[in-house]
Amino acid sequence: MNDKQLVALHAAKHVKHDMLVGLGTGSTANYFIEELARLAREEHLKLTTVASSTISAQKAQSLNLPIVALEHISSIDLYVDGADEITPDKTLLKGRGSDLVKEKLLAKAARQFIAVADASKLVTHIGENFAIPIEVIPFAWQLAKKSLDQIGAVGGLRPNAAKDGYWVTSHGSYVLDMKFAENTDAKELNALINNIPGVVEHGIFHNLADIVLIARDGRVTEQ
Ligand code: 5RP
């Protein structure tokens, strides 16, 4: 068993009967979805799920997990998702995929949000390994980028996979991948980016994760 699978299985121990559980997106979240399906099948665990992406919804459906649409919920019991970076104060960077908006909505709606990752995701500051993904309304991208330039960010629109156009998220936004100075505080950055017109959402998840579980060499620890 690899570390991503191990940490996902550990998080699944927090799932109790009759919970409404949010499903994250990515390879670690996939292991969690598979474990939920096993628990439902083999241990008759009753639960309902809500997905942060079409791909996670399809996976849950293919495994016969009951699923409700995001627009039908006002809160959830538990959300489990991976991350691209995790700092010692449990701030996360997410959004290498296309589903940042739903991921943050579920993280906020959850009574408990457990972030799960292997140790490769641990960093000292947000932005250490990746640019910050910032979803923008397509017609606003130049004006939003100008505001970001003014606060010292460097970067541009994320290209699509074929490199013949721009990446479009599941929400229909463009993504600006922006680098900030190393010493920029994530809490301050969160507030600054939230304040820019045209920004739909961004990848800094500050003050949202309740528990961070990290697997390293076959052992899981809580941060
Ligand atoms: C998607 C995410 C993922 O949770 C993040 O990229 C981690 O993915 P993985 O579990 O495959 O390493 O934020 O938007």
Side-chain angles (χ1 to χ4, degrees), residues 6 22 52-53 84 96 107 110 112 115-116 125-126 147 182 192 195 198 203 209 215:
L6 181 70
S52 59
S53 61
D84 299 309
R96 297 300 304 162
Q112 188 173 51
V116 284
H125 66 271
I126 287 297
S147 300
E182 253 187 37
L192 282 170
N195 212 23

Side-chain angles (χ1 to χ4, degrees), residues 39-159:
L39 291 169
R41 198 174 53 243
E42 295 178 9
E43 298 184 16
H44 308 291
L45 179 74
K46 276 205 177 74
L47 77 162
T48 308
T49 64
V50 53
S52 59
S53 61
T54 307
I55 194 145
S56 293
Q58 278 181 324
K59 187 164 181 75
Q61 275 178 322
S62 73
L63 295 169
N64 296 318
L65 284 168
I67 187 157
V68 292
L70 192 75
E71 54 264 53
H72 296 147
I73 58 134
S74 55
S75 68
I76 63 174
D77 296 301
L78 176 68
Y79 182 52
V80 174
D81 199 358
D84 299 309
E85 293 184 348
I86 303 175
T87 65
D89 75 349
K90 299 192 192 125
T91 302
L92 316 177
L93 184 70
K94 290 183 53 54
R96 297 300 304 162
S98 298
D99 299 289
L100 193 47
V101 173
K102 284 186 179 172
E103 288 175 349
K104 202 177 271 190
L105 282 167
L106 288 176
K108 178 78 183 170
R111 278 190 261 286
Q112 188 173 51
F113 170 26
I114 304 179
V116 284
D118 63 26
S120 69
K121 306 297 180 65
L122 295 174
V123 294
T124 54
H125 66 271
I126 287 297
E128 196 169 302
N129 295 330
F130 294 105
I132 314 286
I134 302 171
E135 280 203 33
V136 289
I137 299 169
F139 63 74
W141 81 266
Q142 288 227 59
L143 290 172
K145 183 173 179 306
K146 189 174 170 197
S147 300
L148 289 161
D149 292 345
Q150 284 166 348
I151 57 170
V154 177
L157 283 176
R158 185 185 295 182

Side-chain angles (χ1 to χ4, degrees), residues 4 18 24 32 56 89 104 120-121 130 172 180 183 188 208:
K4 286 186 175 188
D18 294 326
F32 176 73
S56 293
D89 75 349
K104 202 177 271 190
S120 69
K121 306 297 180 65
F130 294 105
F180 292 82
N183 55 0
E188 190 190 329
L208 287 171

